[in-house]
Structure formats: C-alpha cells, structure tokens
Amino acid sequence: LTAIIPILAVLGLLKSLAGSSSALFLSVKKQSYTMVIMLVSVSGLLLFIYPLIMRFGLFGAGVSAVIGTLLSIPLVIFFTIL
C-alpha cells in the first residue's frame, strides 16, 4: 500500500499542470481543446488500466492513471503554444 503513495504524488503533480491549462482554455472560449485533452487522458487510462491492474494490482492502477495524464501533457503544451 505504501508503494502507491509516490505514484499518486506524481499523478497529483501532473494533474495540477494539466488542470491549470483547462481554466486557461475555457477562459478564451476554447472548450474543444479541453475536451480533446480529457479524451486523450481518459483513453490512455482505459487502454492501460486493465492490463496493469492484472499484472501489478493497485500499483498498476496508479501507473495507468499517470500514463493517461502523461499522454495528455504534449497536447497541453501544443495547444498552449498554438
């Protein structure tokens, strides 16, 4: 159980970076950017959650959440620069 806490800390850090951009996009009427970012994040989570839970249990669930968020970070950077 204690092995999952560092993974969740990393997830919190990544979510804070990605989450702050959604407020920016919503303020400039770019809701579609936020939708695409969330869609990529959820898709990455759904793609990896089952195999990682079967292999690593609760630790795998945390890692799959981190992977889903990591997949959305390049889009956040791209849409911010755009």
Side-chain angles (χ1 to χ4, degrees):
L1 185 61
T2 59
I4 192 74
I5 294 188
I7 295 296
L8 294 178
V10 169
L11 177 64
L13 177 68
L14 292 174
K15 285 285 189 182
S16 69
L17 293 174
S20 62
S21 67
S22 68
L24 170 72
F25 295 140
L26 292 174
S27 70
V28 294
K29 307 282 191 231
K30 300 291 183 183
Q31 295 89 348
S32 61
Y33 292 174
T34 302
M35 181 202 58
V36 170
I37 291 168
M38 287 296 164
L39 186 65
V40 167
S41 179
V42 169
S43 298
L45 174 71
L46 291 176
L47 181 68
F48 289 103
I49 196 161
Y50 184 74
L52 289 176
I53 286 178
M54 289 295 115
R55 176 109 173 140
F56 301 109
L58 187 61
F59 184 77
V63 170
S64 67
V66 170
I67 290 171
T69 304
L70 279 174
L71 290 175
S72 69
I73 296 291
L75 285 176
V76 170
I77 294 168
F78 175 75
F79 288 143
T80 304
I81 293 172
L82 187 73

